[in-house]
């Protein structure tokens, strides 16, 4: 088999496995939503999620100040809104209004759930030791919501440079994990 070298900037598109998320925050009375795909599961119970939020993003300051957010998982039907939120700054745009997303009150955090997303995870930041160096936050999921109607929707997965993959068929294989 012949191999060919490829640019290091394309590595991300081969390693990313999790769905694109819409991260929502509320700070100083203003709700915001940003598109995020740099995240990873770190622990099962309690569920811990690591995520990178650029220091240039409007949401970064809200996360640092409030130490809470909601991770919302959109289906492929929200692709236009996902890309729109990722290409727009919350500094000067109400993304909920602009992209016709419905904020819902969460139970345990001040950040809003997004009604159109099929899963919503209320989170609190539990570790900030890597924020100053890598913009890496460790979140604990404190409450989880899902839309029980129908089968699990297809999710978007960012491959880089505006390219997305849509999750396909789900298969179940024998596992000793519970």
């Amino acid at each position: 088999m012949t191999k060919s070298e490829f640019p290091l900037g394309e590595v991300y598109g081969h390693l990313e496995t999790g769905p694109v998320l819409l991260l929502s925050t509320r700070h100083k009375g203003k709700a915001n939503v940003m598109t995020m795909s740099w995240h990873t599961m770190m622990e099962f119970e309690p569920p811990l999620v690591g995520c990178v939020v650029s220091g240039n993003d409007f949401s970064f300051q809200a996360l640092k100040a409030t130490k809470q957010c909601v991770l919302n998982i959109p289906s492929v039907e929200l692709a236009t809104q996902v890309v729109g939120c990722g290409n727009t700054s919350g500094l000067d745009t109400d993304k909920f209004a602009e992209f016709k997303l419905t904020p819902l009150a969460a139970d345990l955090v001040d950040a809003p759930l997004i009604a159109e997303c099929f899963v919503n995870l209320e989170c609190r930041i539990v570790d900030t030791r890597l924020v100053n160096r890598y913009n890496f936050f460790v979140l604990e999921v404190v409450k989880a919501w899902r839309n029980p109607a129908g089968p699990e929707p297809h999710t978007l997965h960012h491959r880089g440079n505006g390219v997305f993959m849509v999750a396909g068929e789900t298969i179940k294989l024998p596992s000793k994990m519970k």
Side-chain angles (χ1 to χ4, degrees):
M1 173 192 284
T2 304
K3 301 270 185 177
S4 64
E5 186 176 351
F6 66 94
L8 295 176
E10 295 178 16
V11 168
Y12 161 77
H14 294 281
L15 292 176
E16 193 285 321
T17 57
V20 172
L21 305 176
L22 291 173
L23 181 143
S24 56
T25 56
R26 183 182 320 277
H27 183 47
K28 296 182 179 177
K30 182 175 181 176
N32 188 45
V33 57
M34 67 166 275
T35 302
M36 181 179 72
S37 57
W38 291 2
H39 56 83
T40 186
M41 282 302 304
M42 296 177 66
E43 186 56 77
F44 295 106
E45 287 190 38
L48 297 179
V49 179
C51 67
V52 174
V53 177
S54 171
N56 296 324
D57 287 340
F58 184 64
S59 295
F60 181 84
Q61 294 307 323
L63 265 177
K64 276 188 79 171
T66 67
K67 297 191 175 8
Q68 54 185 275
C69 65
V70 176
L71 300 177
N72 302 278
I73 305 178
S75 64
V76 68
E77 288 78 16
L78 293 175
T80 300
Q81 290 96 320
V82 166
V83 172
C85 286
N87 290 327
T88 308
S89 172
L91 185 62
D92 52 21
T93 303
D94 177 348
K95 294 187 200 181
F96 281 94
E98 179 75 19
F99 300 107
K100 297 176 178 48
L101 297 171
T102 309
L104 298 174
D107 275 0
L108 302 176
V109 301
D110 189 37
L113 310 177
I114 298 175
E116 291 78 9
C117 291
F118 72 96
V119 167
N120 312 93
L121 307 172
E122 296 183 38
C123 299
R124 289 202 176 108
I125 296 173
V126 293
D127 192 337
T128 58
R129 288 177 287 181
L130 296 175
V131 171
N132 289 336
R133 186 164 185 174
Y134 298 110
N135 297 340
F136 188 86
F137 295 88
V138 178
L139 311 172
E140 179 180 346
V141 178
V142 294
K143 189 144 192 178
W145 304 89
R146 72 173 156 220
N147 181 348
E152 192 157 317
H154 291 256
T155 53
L156 290 167
H157 300 261
H158 191 237
R159 301 284 311 267
N161 300 317
V163 175
F164 294 84
M165 178 177 67
V166 177
E169 179 184 356
T170 298
I171 62 172
K172 180 157 176 63
L173 301 173
S175 173
K176 292 182 180 181
M177 302 280 301
K178 291 185 182 202

